[in-house]
Amino acid sequence: MFDAPSALAARPPLRDLLATRIVVMDGATGTMLQRMELTDADFRGAQFADHPGELFGCNDLLCLTKPEVVREVHDMYLDAGAWLIETNTFNANTFSLADYALEAHAYAINKAAAELALAAAAHWTAQDPTQPRYVLGSIGPTNKTASLSPDVSDPGHRDVSYDDVVAAYTEQARGLLDGGADILLVETVFDTLNARAALFAIDQLFRARGHSVPVVVSGTITDLSGRTLSGQTVEAFVQSVSHFPVLAIGLNCALGGQEMRPFIEALSNAAPTLVSCYPNAGLPNELGEYDEGPEQTAAFVREFAEAGFVNLVGGCCGTTPEHIRAIARAVEGLTPRTPPSLPPRLRLSGLEPFEKTPEIRFVNV
């Protein structure tokens, strides 16, 4: 286990902090790494100099081969005012790393990434103990789906089983926990079955260790239909993951703040937990780039906060430290959302949510 510096040991529990303020997360890691004009040699380092195949673009590998650039990104976001920073592990699972023949290194990458982020959090916490910093262990969606067939001519086909997905997430979460991550973030969920596999893996690890950390789950609405890629509405998604005692449920990616507004409102109305929100810097242009400036993104996030929708805010694709600086200013002093008190009822979900109310006398199953 990573021995957390004493500066981190004095931090209050994140749940206590969230009771008093809206907490700011960091922004896009990939956006910042792409600006650094890294070469193939940077990705390979000495450790993977003779590795067969392409490694350029495997950002997660930089935690092992070029840790100083990952630390630089963390420092930029912490300097901008982020209280929470994500590990550089969005694709550090065995499925995604297999594209680079690196699946055997999943655990090492995740552990190193958490240690890097924790060292940065310790440094900035020591500089200003009134603003303690925390590490979110990023667990991305993988490039496989347990719910959908990759073959349109064979709807029943799956590239992976549920157990395969659980095993991949177990390896990733184990590395993040051993590296010292304060929170686990299951993010950019487009397939709820994948997310449920991640939560099962995490739960099994917690039980085996006799110790747990907070968990945040963040889904992604893929277009203006208001559904995930696997077809669920926001409300159905919330009910599908509410069996697990998550700290927060939220939305990120795919949409900018303007487009995300009705969906984050719907989630806020449905979620019995805290709510997180970190939108893209608008929608991508025809070149795949993001044009929304920091003040524009911050204005949308401030509106969410003023409406009482959110507890954790930050940025996703296209956002930079300047976006996070503007967001931090925009939400400073605003009141965090109070989760609604929902009556105890049977709540189920398929693509749509179902709630058994007293007015429903008979349910045909």
Side-chain angles (χ1 to χ4, degrees):
M1 278 287 189
F2 183 72
D3 184 17
S6 58
L8 297 180
R11 296 172 304 171
L14 180 60
R15 195 179 297 271
D16 293 350
L17 186 65
L18 287 163
T20 63
R21 64 175 298 119
I22 295 174
V23 175
V24 178
M25 302 165 56
D26 60 4
T29 299
T31 296
M32 301 310 296
L33 291 174
Q34 289 166 15
R35 293 183 174 189
M36 294 183 176
E37 299 181 350
L38 299 170
T39 66
D40 182 67
D42 292 320
F43 285 90
R44 291 184 176 276
Q47 184 177 350
F48 296 93
D50 299 323
H51 185 80
E54 182 69 45
L55 292 182
F56 184 82
C58 184
N59 288 342
D60 314 84
L61 185 59
L62 295 170
C63 297
L64 297 179
T65 58
K66 201 74 172 175
E68 63 271 23
V69 301
V70 179
R71 172 61 188 265
E72 184 179 350
V73 172
H74 290 325
D75 285 338
M76 286 190 288
Y77 280 120
L78 290 164
D79 183 55
W83 296 62
L84 308 180
I85 53 171
E86 292 188 47
T87 56
N88 178 38
T89 54
F90 185 80
N91 289 307
N93 60 79
T94 53
F95 298 139
S96 300
L97 290 173
D99 290 345
Y100 301 93
L102 291 172
E103 57 268 42
H105 301 277
Y107 172 83
I109 291 172
N110 282 280
K111 184 173 184 291
E115 290 175 349
L116 269 171
L118 202 65
H123 172 79
W124 286 86
T125 299
Q127 296 296 312
D128 181 7
T130 66
Q131 187 178 359
R133 314 303 178 101
Y134 303 81
V135 173
L136 289 159
S138 171
I139 299 176
T142 84
N143 57 7
K144 301 292 184 182
T145 169
S147 290
L148 305 174
S149 172
D151 183 355
V152 293
S153 64
D154 185 3
H157 176 73
R158 299 291 184 273
D159 279 344
V160 293
S161 69
Y162 178 82
D163 288 344
D164 292 334
V165 181
V166 169
Y169 280 132
T170 298
E171 186 77 349
Q172 181 170 22
R174 188 169 66 87
L176 292 169
L177 292 172
D178 285 352
D182 298 301
I183 308 107
L184 294 180
L185 171 63
V186 181
E187 63 171 324
T188 321
V189 175
F190 64 84
D191 180 352
T192 310
L193 187 57
N194 279 30
R196 287 174 64 90
L199 294 175
F200 180 78
I202 290 167
D203 182 63
Q204 294 301 298
L205 280 172
F206 288 170
R207 290 173 184 271
R209 291 164 177 256
H211 172 71
S212 65
V213 300
V215 176
V216 176
V217 178
S218 182
T220 185
I221 300 301
T222 52
D223 56 41
L224 296 180
S225 70
R227 294 178 182 269
T228 64
L229 187 63
S230 55
Q232 283 194 310
T233 64
V234 168
E235 295 87 350
F237 169 68
V238 168
Q239 291 182 188
S240 291
V241 298
S242 291
H243 66 290
F244 190 93
V246 296
L247 175 67
I249 302 173
L251 296 176
N252 75 289
C253 205
L255 303 176
Q258 182 174 12
E259 297 78 19
M260 190 180 284
R261 206 273 182 200
F263 310 126
I264 200 68
E265 179 178 9
L267 189 147
S268 178
N269 290 334
T273 65
L274 303 181
V275 166
S276 66
C277 176
Y278 49 116
N280 290 347
L283 296 177
N285 60 28
E286 61 276 9
L287 299 177
E289 298 174 345
Y290 295 86
D291 300 322
E292 188 173 277
E295 297 304 327
Q296 291 174 285
T297 303
F300 292 125
V301 174
R302 180 180 175 86
E303 199 274 321
F304 298 164
E306 289 177 329
F309 296 159
V310 292
N311 302 94
L312 297 92
V313 296
C316 202
C317 300
T319 58
T320 67
E322 288 311 308
H323 287 81
I324 298 308
R325 196 181 307 277
I327 288 171
R329 289 195 300 262
V331 302
E332 181 64 32
L334 298 183
T335 303
R337 168 183 174 275
T338 300
S341 179
L342 302 177
R345 290 174 180 163
L346 173 67
R347 293 181 176 89
L348 306 174
S349 61
L351 299 184
E352 309 280 345
F354 172 78
E355 181 174 328
K356 176 68 171 64
T357 65
E359 292 73 29
I360 300 176
R361 298 297 183 183
F362 176 78
V363 178
N364 186 19
V365 179

